Amino acid sequence: MGNPGTFKRGLLLSALSYLGFETYQVISQAAVVHATAKVEEILEQADYLYESGETEKLYQLLTQYKESEDAELLWRLARASRDVAQLSRTSEEEK
């Protein structure tokens, strides 16, 4: 059998690796939950602005997220874009 010190170091490294991996998973999952919560907040704010008739403010809010892959955000951005284009004060160039 080999050196007991080498075995202990190997065991310690294995335990630390496992703990590091578990920590990474917890942090990653927390980041996803936080991102989801943020999207929900944006959607609530967007819906409030839409219901209030704040078309331009809604468009400004949602254009910040035009690179998002969230279908709910992009759908609201498309609707807001159409609504801004239909405003009489929107120039032909902006449309």
Side-chain angles (χ1 to χ4, degrees):
M1 200 162 210
N3 184 345
T6 304
F7 176 74
K8 287 181 182 178
R9 276 194 296 270
L11 188 59
L12 179 62
L13 287 174
S14 294
L16 288 174
S17 295
Y18 174 76
L19 289 174
F21 177 72
E22 288 297 315
T23 301
Y24 169 77
Q25 284 187 317
V26 168
I27 290 171
S28 296
Q29 187 176 14
V32 169
V33 169
H34 178 71
T36 303
K38 182 176 180 181
V39 169
E40 290 299 320
E41 290 174 19
I42 296 164
L43 294 176
E44 286 178 20
Q45 187 176 8
D47 290 344
Y48 173 79
L49 289 171
Y50 181 77
E51 292 169 6
S52 300
E54 297 286 348
T55 305
E56 291 166 324
K57 288 181 183 179
L58 173 62
Y59 179 74
Q60 290 172 359
L61 169 70
L62 294 174
T63 54
Q64 299 174 55
Y65 305 100
K66 65 184 176 187
E67 300 299 323
S68 172
E69 294 184 11
D70 187 279
E72 292 292 322
L73 277 173
L74 295 176
W75 175 82
R76 284 169 175 79
L77 175 58
R79 180 179 62 182
S81 298
R82 183 212 57 204
D83 291 349
V84 166
Q86 291 178 339
L87 294 174
S88 60
R89 61 183 170 265
T90 303
S91 71
E92 287 298 315
E93 186 176 301
E94 289 176 297
K95 292 179 184 184

